[in-house]
Coordinates of all heavy atoms in Angstrom, one line a residue:
M218 N -1.7 -3.9 -52.8 CA -3.1 -4.0 -53.5 C -3.3 -2.9 -54.5 O -3.0 -1.8 -54.1 CB -4.1 -4.0 -52.3 CG -5.5 -3.8 -53.0 SD -6.7 -3.5 -51.6 CE -6.9 -5.1 -51.0
K219 N -3.6 -3.2 -55.7 CA -3.8 -2.2 -56.7 C -5.3 -2.3 -57.1 O -5.7 -3.3 -57.9 CB -3.0 -2.4 -57.9 CG -3.1 -1.3 -59.0 CD -2.2 -1.6 -60.2 CE -2.5 -0.5 -61.2 NZ -2.1 -1.1 -62.5
P220 N -6.2 -1.4 -56.9 CA -7.6 -1.4 -57.3 C -7.6 -1.0 -58.8 O -7.0 -0.1 -59.2 CB -8.3 -0.4 -56.4 CG -7.3 0.3 -55.5 CD -5.9 -0.3 -55.9
V221 N -8.6 -1.7 -59.4 CA -8.9 -1.5 -60.9 C -10.4 -1.4 -61.1 O -11.2 -2.2 -60.5 CB -8.2 -2.6 -61.6 CG1 -8.5 -2.3 -63.2 CG2 -6.8 -2.6 -61.4
V222 N -10.7 -0.4 -61.8 CA -12.2 -0.3 -62.2 C -12.3 -0.6 -63.7 O -11.7 -0.1 -64.5 CB -12.8 1.1 -61.8 CG1 -14.3 1.2 -62.4 CG2 -12.8 1.3 -60.5
D223 N -13.2 -1.6 -63.9 CA -13.5 -2.0 -65.4 C -14.6 -0.9 -66.0 O -15.7 -1.0 -65.6 CB -14.0 -3.3 -65.5 CG -14.3 -3.8 -66.9 OD1 -14.3 -2.9 -67.8 OD2 -14.2 -5.2 -67.1
H224 N -14.1 -0.1 -66.8 CA -15.0 0.9 -67.3 C -16.1 0.4 -68.2 O -17.1 1.1 -68.7 CB -14.2 2.1 -67.9 CG -13.6 3.0 -66.9 ND1 -12.6 3.9 -67.2 CD2 -13.9 3.1 -65.6 CE1 -12.2 4.6 -66.0 NE2 -12.9 4.0 -65.1
D225 N -15.9 -0.8 -68.7 CA -16.8 -1.4 -69.5 C -18.0 -1.9 -68.8 O -19.2 -2.1 -69.3 CB -16.4 -2.6 -70.3 CG -15.4 -2.3 -71.4 OD1 -15.6 -1.0 -71.9 OD2 -14.5 -3.0 -71.6
L226 N -17.9 -2.0 -67.4 CA -19.0 -2.4 -66.5 C -19.5 -1.4 -65.6 O -20.7 -1.5 -65.2 CB -18.3 -3.6 -65.7 CG -17.8 -4.8 -66.2 CD1 -17.3 -5.9 -65.3 CD2 -19.0 -5.5 -67.1
C227 N -18.7 -0.4 -65.2 CA -19.1 0.6 -64.3 C -20.3 1.3 -64.8 O -20.4 1.7 -66.0 CB -18.0 1.7 -64.1 SG -18.4 3.0 -63.0
I228 N -21.4 1.5 -63.9 CA -22.6 2.2 -64.2 C -22.6 3.6 -63.4 O -23.7 4.3 -63.5 CB -23.8 1.3 -63.9 CG1 -23.9 0.9 -62.4 CG2 -23.9 0.1 -64.8 CD1 -25.1 0.3 -61.9
G229 N -21.6 4.0 -62.7 CA -21.5 5.3 -62.1 C -22.4 5.5 -61.0 O -23.0 6.7 -60.8
C230 N -22.7 4.4 -60.3 CA -23.6 4.6 -59.0 C -23.0 5.3 -57.9 O -23.8 5.8 -57.1 CB -24.0 3.1 -58.7 SG -22.7 2.2 -57.8
G231 N -21.6 5.4 -57.8 CA -21.1 6.2 -56.9 C -20.8 5.4 -55.4 O -20.2 6.1 -54.5
V232 N -21.2 4.3 -55.3 CA -21.0 3.5 -54.1 C -19.6 3.3 -53.7 O -19.2 3.6 -52.5 CB -21.7 2.0 -54.2 CG1 -21.1 1.2 -53.1 CG2 -23.2 2.3 -54.2
C233 N -18.7 3.2 -54.6 CA -17.2 3.0 -54.4 C -16.8 4.4 -53.7 O -16.0 4.2 -52.9 CB -16.5 2.5 -55.6 SG -16.7 3.6 -57.1
E234 N -17.1 5.4 -54.4 CA -16.6 6.7 -53.7 C -17.1 7.0 -52.5 O -16.5 7.4 -51.6 CB -17.0 7.9 -54.8 CG -16.4 9.2 -54.4 CD -17.0 10.3 -55.3 OE1 -18.2 10.6 -55.3 OE2 -16.1 10.9 -56.0
E235 N -18.4 6.6 -52.2 CA -19.0 6.8 -50.9 C -18.2 5.9 -49.8 O -18.0 6.3 -48.7 CB -20.4 6.4 -50.8 CG -21.3 7.5 -51.6 CD -22.8 7.0 -51.7 OE1 -23.1 6.0 -51.0 OE2 -23.5 7.4 -52.6
T236 N -17.9 4.7 -50.2 CA -17.1 3.7 -49.4 C -15.7 4.1 -49.1 O -15.3 3.9 -48.0 CB -17.4 2.4 -50.0 OG1 -18.7 2.1 -50.3 CG2 -16.9 1.3 -49.1
C237 N -15.1 4.5 -50.2 CA -13.6 4.9 -50.1 C -13.2 6.1 -51.0 O -12.6 5.9 -52.0 CB -12.8 3.6 -50.4 SG -11.1 3.7 -50.0
P238 N -13.5 7.2 -50.4 CA -13.3 8.4 -51.5 C -11.8 8.6 -51.5 O -11.3 9.4 -52.4 CB -14.0 9.6 -50.7 CG -14.1 9.1 -49.3 CD -14.2 7.6 -49.3
E239 N -10.9 8.0 -50.6 CA -9.5 8.3 -50.8 C -9.0 7.5 -52.0 O -7.8 7.8 -52.5 CB -8.8 7.6 -49.6 CG -9.1 8.4 -48.2 CD -10.3 7.9 -47.6 OE1 -11.0 7.0 -48.2 OE2 -10.5 8.3 -46.4
V240 N -9.7 6.6 -52.5 CA -9.2 5.7 -53.7 C -10.1 5.9 -54.9 O -9.6 5.9 -56.0 CB -9.2 4.2 -53.3 CG1 -8.9 3.3 -54.6 CG2 -8.3 4.0 -52.2
F241 N -11.3 6.0 -54.8 CA -12.4 6.1 -56.0 C -13.0 7.6 -56.1 O -13.4 8.0 -55.2 CB -13.4 5.0 -55.8 CG -13.0 3.7 -55.6 CD1 -12.9 3.0 -54.4 CD2 -12.5 2.9 -56.7 CE1 -12.4 1.8 -54.2 CE2 -12.0 1.6 -56.6 CZ -12.0 1.0 -55.3
Q242 N -13.0 7.9 -57.3 CA -13.7 9.2 -57.7 C -14.5 9.1 -58.9 O -14.2 8.7 -59.9 CB -12.5 10.2 -57.9 CG -13.0 11.7 -58.2 CD -11.9 12.6 -58.5 OE1 -11.3 12.5 -59.7 NE2 -11.5 13.4 -57.6
L243 N -15.7 9.5 -58.7 CA -16.7 9.6 -59.8 C -16.5 10.8 -60.6 O -16.5 12.0 -60.0 CB -18.2 9.5 -59.2 CG -19.2 9.0 -60.2 CD1 -18.9 7.5 -60.6 CD2 -20.5 9.1 -59.3
R244 N -16.3 10.7 -61.9 CA -16.2 12.0 -62.7 C -17.3 12.3 -63.5 O -18.3 11.6 -63.6 CB -14.8 11.7 -63.5 CG -13.7 11.6 -62.6 CD -12.4 11.8 -63.3 NE -11.2 11.6 -62.4 CZ -10.1 11.2 -62.7 NH1 -9.7 10.9 -63.9 NH2 -9.0 11.0 -61.8
D245 N -17.1 13.4 -64.2 CA -18.3 13.9 -65.0 C -18.7 13.0 -66.1 O -19.9 13.0 -66.7 CB -17.9 15.3 -65.6 CG -17.8 16.4 -64.6 OD1 -18.3 16.1 -63.5 OD2 -17.2 17.4 -64.9
D246 N -17.9 12.1 -66.6 CA -18.1 11.1 -67.7 C -18.9 10.0 -67.1 O -19.4 9.0 -67.7 CB -17.0 10.6 -68.4 CG -16.0 9.8 -67.5 OD1 -16.3 9.7 -66.2 OD2 -14.9 9.4 -68.1
G247 N -19.4 10.0 -65.8 CA -20.3 8.9 -65.2 C -19.5 7.6 -64.8 O -20.1 6.7 -64.7
L248 N -18.1 7.8 -64.8 CA -17.4 6.5 -64.5 C -16.5 6.8 -63.2 O -16.2 7.9 -62.9 CB -16.5 6.2 -65.7 CG -17.2 5.7 -67.0 CD1 -16.2 5.6 -68.1 CD2 -18.0 4.5 -66.7
S249 N -16.2 5.7 -62.6 CA -15.4 5.9 -61.4 C -14.0 5.6 -61.7 O -13.6 4.7 -62.6 CB -15.8 4.8 -60.4 OG -15.0 4.7 -59.3
Y250 N -13.0 6.4 -61.2 CA -11.6 6.4 -61.5 C -10.9 6.0 -60.2 O -11.2 6.6 -59.1 CB -11.1 7.7 -62.0 CG -11.7 7.7 -63.5 CD1 -12.9 8.3 -63.8 CD2 -10.8 7.4 -64.6 CE1 -13.3 8.4 -65.0 CE2 -11.2 7.6 -65.8 CZ -12.4 8.0 -66.1 OH -12.9 8.1 -67.5
V251 N -10.0 5.3 -60.3 CA -8.9 5.0 -59.2 C -7.9 6.3 -59.1 O -7.2 6.5 -60.1 CB -8.2 3.7 -59.4 CG1 -7.1 3.5 -58.3 CG2 -9.2 2.6 -59.3
I252 N -8.0 6.9 -58.0 CA -7.1 8.1 -57.9 C -5.9 7.8 -57.1 O -5.1 8.6 -56.7 CB -7.9 9.3 -57.3 CG1 -8.5 8.9 -55.9 CG2 -8.9 9.8 -58.3 CD1 -9.1 10.2 -55.3
N253 N -5.8 6.6 -56.6 CA -4.7 6.1 -55.6 C -4.4 4.7 -56.0 O -5.2 3.8 -55.5 CB -5.0 6.4 -54.1 CG -3.9 6.0 -53.2 OD1 -2.9 5.5 -53.8 ND2 -4.0 6.3 -52.0
E254 N -3.4 4.5 -56.7 CA -3.1 3.1 -57.2 C -2.2 2.3 -56.2 O -2.1 1.2 -56.4 CB -2.4 3.0 -58.6 CG -3.5 3.5 -59.7 CD -2.9 3.2 -61.1 OE1 -1.7 3.3 -61.2 OE2 -3.9 3.2 -61.9
N255 N -1.8 2.9 -55.3 CA -0.9 2.4 -54.2 C -1.4 2.8 -52.8 O -0.8 3.3 -52.1 CB 0.5 2.7 -54.4 CG 1.2 2.1 -55.6 OD1 1.2 0.9 -55.8 ND2 1.5 3.0 -56.5
P256 N -2.7 2.3 -52.5 CA -3.3 2.8 -51.3 C -2.6 2.2 -50.1 O -2.0 1.0 -50.1 CB -4.6 2.2 -51.4 CG -4.7 1.2 -52.4 CD -3.5 1.5 -53.4
E257 N -2.5 2.9 -49.0 CA -1.9 2.4 -47.9 C -2.8 1.2 -47.2 O -4.0 1.2 -47.4 CB -1.8 3.5 -46.7 CG -2.9 4.5 -46.7 CD -2.9 5.7 -47.7 OE1 -2.5 5.4 -48.7 OE2 -3.3 6.7 -47.3
P258 N -2.1 0.4 -46.6 CA -2.9 -0.8 -45.8 C -4.1 -0.4 -45.1 O -5.1 -1.2 -45.0 CB -1.8 -1.6 -45.0 CG -0.5 -1.2 -45.7 CD -0.7 0.2 -46.2
E259 N -4.1 0.7 -44.5 CA -5.3 1.1 -43.7 C -6.5 1.2 -44.5 O -7.6 1.1 -44.0 CB -5.0 2.5 -43.0 CG -3.9 2.5 -41.9 CD -2.5 2.4 -42.4 OE1 -2.3 2.6 -43.5 OE2 -1.7 1.9 -41.5
L260 N -6.4 1.3 -45.7 CA -7.6 1.5 -46.7 C -8.1 0.2 -47.3 O -9.1 0.0 -47.8 CB -7.3 2.5 -47.8 CG -7.0 3.9 -47.4 CD1 -6.5 4.8 -48.6 CD2 -8.2 4.4 -46.8
Y261 N -7.3 -0.9 -47.1 CA -7.6 -2.1 -47.7 C -9.1 -2.7 -47.4 O -9.7 -3.2 -48.2 CB -6.6 -3.3 -47.3 CG -5.2 -3.2 -48.0 CD1 -5.0 -2.1 -48.7 CD2 -4.3 -4.1 -47.8 CE1 -3.6 -1.9 -49.3 CE2 -3.0 -4.0 -48.4 CZ -2.8 -2.9 -49.2 OH -1.5 -2.8 -49.7
G262 N -9.4 -2.4 -46.1 CA -10.8 -2.9 -45.7 C -11.8 -2.2 -46.5 O -12.8 -2.8 -46.9
Q263 N -11.7 -0.9 -46.6 CA -12.6 0.0 -47.4 C -12.7 -0.3 -48.8 O -13.7 -0.4 -49.5 CB -12.4 1.5 -47.3 CG -12.7 2.0 -45.8 CD -12.1 3.5 -45.8 OE1 -11.1 3.6 -45.1 NE2 -12.7 4.5 -46.3
I264 N -11.5 -0.7 -49.4 CA -11.5 -1.1 -50.7 C -12.1 -2.5 -51.0 O -13.0 -2.6 -51.9 CB -10.0 -1.2 -51.2 CG1 -9.4 0.2 -51.2 CG2 -9.9 -1.8 -52.6 CD1 -7.8 0.1 -51.3
R265 N -12.0 -3.5 -50.0 CA -12.7 -4.6 -50.2 C -14.2 -4.4 -50.0 O -15.0 -5.1 -50.7 CB -12.2 -5.6 -49.2 CG -10.7 -6.0 -49.5 CD -10.3 -7.4 -48.8 NE -9.0 -7.7 -49.2 CZ -7.9 -7.4 -48.4 NH1 -8.0 -6.8 -47.2 NH2 -6.6 -7.8 -48.8
D266 N -14.6 -3.6 -49.1 CA -16.0 -3.3 -48.9 C -16.6 -2.8 -50.4 O -17.6 -3.1 -50.8 CB -16.2 -2.2 -47.9 CG -16.1 -2.9 -46.5 OD1 -16.1 -4.1 -46.4 OD2 -16.0 -2.0 -45.6
A267 N -15.8 -1.9 -51.0 CA -16.3 -1.4 -52.2 C -16.4 -2.4 -53.3 O -17.2 -2.5 -54.2 CB -15.3 -0.2 -52.7
V268 N -15.4 -3.3 -53.3 CA -15.4 -4.5 -54.2 C -16.8 -5.2 -54.1 O -17.5 -5.6 -54.9 CB -14.3 -5.3 -54.0 CG1 -14.3 -6.7 -54.8 CG2 -12.9 -4.7 -54.6
D269 N -17.0 -5.5 -52.8 CA -18.2 -6.3 -52.4 C -19.5 -5.6 -52.7 O -20.4 -6.2 -53.1 CB -18.2 -6.8 -50.9 CG -17.1 -7.7 -50.5 OD1 -16.6 -8.3 -51.5 OD2 -16.7 -7.7 -49.4
M270 N -19.4 -4.3 -52.6 CA -20.8 -3.4 -52.6 C -21.1 -3.0 -54.1 O -22.2 -2.7 -54.5 CB -20.6 -2.3 -51.7 CG -20.8 -2.7 -50.4 SD -20.3 -1.4 -49.2 CE -21.6 -0.3 -49.4
C271 N -20.0 -3.0 -55.1 CA -20.4 -2.6 -56.4 C -21.4 -3.5 -57.0 O -21.2 -4.7 -57.1 CB -19.0 -2.7 -57.2 SG -19.3 -2.4 -59.0
P272 N -22.4 -2.8 -57.4 CA -23.5 -3.7 -58.0 C -23.4 -4.7 -59.3 O -24.1 -5.4 -59.5 CB -24.7 -2.7 -58.1 CG -24.0 -1.4 -58.3 CD -22.8 -1.4 -57.6
V273 N -22.3 -4.1 -60.0 CA -21.9 -4.7 -61.3 C -20.6 -5.4 -61.3 O -20.1 -5.9 -62.3 CB -22.0 -3.9 -62.4 CG1 -23.5 -3.3 -62.7 CG2 -21.2 -2.6 -62.3
E274 N -20.0 -5.6 -60.1 CA -18.7 -6.2 -59.9 C -17.6 -5.7 -60.8 O -16.9 -6.4 -61.5 CB -18.9 -7.7 -60.1 CG -19.8 -8.3 -59.0 CD -19.8 -9.9 -59.1 OE1 -19.2 -10.5 -59.9 OE2 -20.8 -10.5 -58.4
A275 N -17.6 -4.4 -60.8 CA -16.6 -3.7 -61.8 C -15.3 -3.5 -61.2 O -14.3 -3.1 -61.9 CB -17.1 -2.3 -62.3
I276 N -15.1 -3.7 -59.9 CA -13.9 -3.4 -59.1 C -13.2 -4.7 -58.8 O -13.8 -5.7 -58.4 CB -14.1 -2.6 -58.0 CG1 -15.1 -1.4 -58.1 CG2 -12.8 -2.1 -57.2 CD1 -15.5 -0.7 -56.9
S277 N -11.9 -4.7 -59.3 CA -11.1 -5.8 -58.9 C -9.8 -5.3 -58.3 O -9.5 -4.1 -58.3 CB -10.8 -6.7 -60.1 OG -10.2 -5.9 -61.0
V278 N -9.1 -6.1 -57.5 CA -7.7 -5.7 -57.0 C -6.7 -6.7 -57.5 O -6.9 -8.0 -57.6 CB -7.8 -5.7 -55.5 CG1 -8.7 -4.7 -55.0 CG2 -8.3 -7.0 -54.9
E279 N -5.6 -6.2 -57.8 CA -4.4 -6.9 -58.2 C -3.5 -6.9 -57.0 O -3.3 -6.0 -56.4 CB -3.7 -6.3 -59.5 CG -4.7 -6.2 -60.7 CD -4.1 -5.4 -61.8 OE1 -2.9 -4.8 -61.6 OE2 -4.8 -5.3 -62.8
G280 N -2.8 -8.1 -57.0 CA -1.9 -8.3 -55.8 C -2.5 -8.3 -54.5 O -1.9 -7.8 -53.5
G281 N -3.5 -9.0 -54.3 CA -4.1 -9.2 -53.0 C -5.2 -8.3 -52.8 O -5.6 -8.2 -51.7
Ligands
SF4_517 S1 -19.6 1.0 -57.3 FE1 -19.1 0.0 -59.3 S2 -20.7 0.7 -60.7 FE2 -20.6 2.0 -58.9 S3 -19.4 3.8 -59.5 FE3 -18.1 2.2 -58.4 S4 -17.3 0.9 -59.9 FE4 -18.9 2.0 -60.9

């Protein structure tokens, strides 16, 4: 699973970082960045939660 944030959609709310700080990081430019592109399977649940909770559906996952 490779998480991706669409920076054209992200509004910098920080929900993804709160949900899975091992993978998402909010930076000074007000956008969320993926800091771990090959997360371990233990994080998949949190990543899916972040996908579901993002208010603008900016997060997608490649490869399942
Ligand atoms: S939850 Fe969505 S809108 Fe909010 S910071 Fe993360 S990617 Fe951006």
Side-chain angles (χ1 to χ4, degrees):
M218 175 191 281
K219 181 186 175 201
V221 178
V222 173
D223 185 338
H224 285 167
D225 291 332
L226 297 175
C227 177
I228 57 171
C230 69
V232 164
C233 53
E234 186 183 61
E235 288 171 22
T236 305
C237 190
E239 295 88 350
V240 172
F241 302 100
Q242 181 184 72
L243 202 61
R244 297 204 180 144
D245 289 344
D246 61 3
L248 297 172
S249 172
Y250 287 82
V251 174
I252 56 172
N253 182 355
E254 293 194 334
N255 291 295
E257 43 274 37
E259 288 75 17
L260 295 172
Y261 286 5
Q263 284 170 259
I264 294 166
R265 291 202 178 92
D266 285 346
V268 170
D269 291 342
M270 290 166 67
C271 175
V273 293
E274 299 183 5
I276 308 170
S277 57
V278 291
E279 297 173 357

